[in-house]
């Protein structure tokens, strides 16, 4: 039986993006995934599994941040 469900918010930054741009994008991504996770339709599809909302941020070819949002 499946115990866990995942939703991913993938964000990409150009290689020359500033730290301020990265922080702003990260904050927006966290709010977006919280909205998605709270969606009633999504909740009805979980069937008792534990939801893991995860945000991934990539800059150029590098992983910048990867975090489960609570």
């Amino acid at each position: 039986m499946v115990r866990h469900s995942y939703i991913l918010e993938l964000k990409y930054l150009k290689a020359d993006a500033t730290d301020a741009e990265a922080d702003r994008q990260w904050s927006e991504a966290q709010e977006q995934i919280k909205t998605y996770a709270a969606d009633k339709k999504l909740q009805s599809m979980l069937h008792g599994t534990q939801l893991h909302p995860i945000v991934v941020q990539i800059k150029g070819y590098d992983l910048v941040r990867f975090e489960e949002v609570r």
Side-chain angles (χ1 to χ4, degrees), residues 28-65:
E28 291 171 0
Q30 288 180 313
E31 291 307 312
Q32 286 176 322
I33 204 160
K34 287 177 186 178
T35 300
Y36 303 151
D39 183 75
K40 289 181 183 182
K41 188 172 185 176
L42 174 67
Q43 291 294 321
S44 72
M45 293 187 297
L46 294 177
H47 302 291
T49 63
Q50 180 180 356
L51 179 63
H52 300 277
I54 297 172
V55 176
V56 178
Q57 188 179 47
I58 297 168
K59 182 176 178 181
Y61 294 105
D62 299 319
L63 175 64
V64 177
R65 295 181 190 174

Side-chain angles (χ1 to χ4, degrees), residues 1-53:
M1 173 168 234
V2 177
R3 294 184 180 165
H4 302 274
S5 296
Y6 300 85
I7 55 173
L8 300 174
E9 181 70 22
L10 304 173
K11 293 296 185 181
Y12 175 79
L13 291 161
K14 292 182 180 180
D16 61 350
T18 66
D19 289 344
E21 290 171 320
D23 290 342
R24 183 171 41 256
Q25 183 189 63
W26 184 258
S27 294
E28 291 171 0
Q30 288 180 313
E31 291 307 312
Q32 286 176 322
I33 204 160
K34 287 177 186 178
T35 300
Y36 303 151
D39 183 75
K40 289 181 183 182
K41 188 172 185 176
L42 174 67
Q43 291 294 321
S44 72
M45 293 187 297
L46 294 177
H47 302 291
T49 63
Q50 180 180 356
L51 179 63
H52 300 277

